[in-house]
Amino acid sequence: MPTRRDGTTGRPLPASAPWFDRRPDAASSTATGPRPGDNDREATTTGGQATAHRCDTMQQLTHLVLIMGAALAGGLLASRLNMPGSVIIGAMLGVIVLKLCLAAPLALPRQWSLFIQIVVGATVGSRFSMDMLQQLRHYAVPILISALLLILLGSVMAVVFTKFWGIDPGTAFISTSPGAMTAMTGMAGGLNVDIFLVLTFHITRVILVILLAPAIMRISRMFL
C-alpha cells in the first residue's frame, strides 16, 4: 500500500491523520493567481457599470427637467385663477398631462422628495407671526375645541374608509385630517402614504368650501 504524503511538504502523513489534515496535492490544487482574461473581464464590467450609472443620471436629470417644467407651467397658468390652492393643483395637473402625453413612467429623484418637504415646511413656517400668538391667547378655547373635534371626526371617518373602502389607515387619516392642502401633502410625502389620494381628498374639500362658503355665510347671517 503506497504511503500517503502531504501535498505541500511532501512528508508522509501518519495513518491516523484525520481527513481535514490531508492536504490536496500541488498538481490538483487550484491556482490562486489571476487567469488569462480576468483583467479584461474586470475592465469590461467596470466600464459597463460606469456607463449604466451615467445613463441613469442622465435619465433622472431628464425626468427632473420635464416634470419641473410641466409643474411650473401648470402652476403659473392656474395662479391666474386666484383660487386657494390653485398653484399646487395646477402644478399637479401639468405633470399629469405630461405623463399622459408621453405615456412614460416619469418620476422625481428620491433626493428631491426631501428637498420638497423642506420647502413646504419653510413655506408653512414663514407664515408665522406674533399676531398669531396673540390671537391664540384670546381664542385658545374655541381654537382647541374646533381642532380636537375636527381631528376626532376625521379619525372616525378614517376608520370607516379603511374598513369599508380598504384605504390604507395612514392615508385615510391624513386625507381626513383638517389642515392646509400644502401642509397635508408635505406630511403625506414624509409618512410614505398615497400622496395622490391625499391630495385628491383635500382638493375636493377646498373646491367644495369655495363653492359652498358664500351660501353657508348667507344662511348663517339669517339666523345669527
Side-chain angles (χ1 to χ4, degrees):
M1 180 176 180
T3 303
R4 295 189 299 271
R5 296 181 180 274
D6 191 303
T8 302
T9 61
R11 298 177 181 177
L13 285 173
S16 59
W19 63 269
F20 50 80
D21 279 343
R22 301 174 185 175
R23 302 177 183 177
D25 295 337
S28 62
S29 62
T30 302
T32 58
R35 292 175 295 179
D38 284 350
N39 293 334
D40 294 339
R41 282 192 292 270
E42 291 178 0
T44 302
T45 302
T46 304
Q49 292 176 349
T51 302
H53 179 70
R54 286 194 297 268
C55 292
D56 185 60
T57 302
M58 290 299 298
Q59 184 182 36
Q60 290 183 359
L61 290 176
T62 302
H63 288 187
L64 177 62
V65 171
L66 291 175
I67 290 175
M68 295 307 296
L72 181 62
L76 292 177
L77 181 61
S79 65
R80 296 179 176 273
L81 300 176
N82 294 323
M83 295 172 56
S86 60
V87 176
I88 190 171
I89 295 174
M92 180 194 69
L93 293 178
V95 176
I96 291 176
V97 171
L98 174 67
K99 295 188 70 172
L100 291 176
C101 292
L102 297 180
L106 299 177
L108 283 175
R110 294 182 179 180
Q111 297 83 351
W112 275 78
S113 177
L114 176 62
F115 176 74
I116 292 173
Q117 293 177 45
I118 293 175
V119 172
V120 171
T123 303
V124 176
S126 64
R127 297 178 180 177
F128 174 80
S129 64
M130 295 303 297
D131 294 337
M132 295 176 62
L133 290 179
Q134 296 177 359
Q135 292 179 358
L136 180 60
R137 293 175 183 175
H138 185 71
Y139 301 107
V141 174
I143 289 175
L144 290 176
I145 292 176
S146 173
L148 292 175
L149 287 178
L150 288 174
I151 293 174
L152 179 60
L153 179 60
S155 300
V156 173
M157 289 190 296
V159 173
V160 173
F161 295 159
T162 299
K163 184 176 180 61
F164 293 99
W165 279 273
I167 300 177
D168 174 72
T171 301
F173 178 75
I174 300 299
S175 298
T176 57
S177 296
M181 183 167 53
T182 304
M184 293 295 100
T185 305
M187 183 181 296
L191 296 177
N192 194 26
V193 298
D194 190 343
I195 299 179
F196 184 79
L197 185 57
V198 171
L199 192 57
T200 303
F201 266 87
H202 288 284
I203 287 174
T204 305
R205 173 177 58 84
V206 170
I207 293 175
L208 289 177
V209 168
I210 293 172
L211 295 177
L212 299 178
I216 294 175
M217 291 178 64
R218 286 195 298 267
I219 294 174
S220 64
R221 287 171 182 172
M222 296 172 57
F223 297 96
L224 298 177

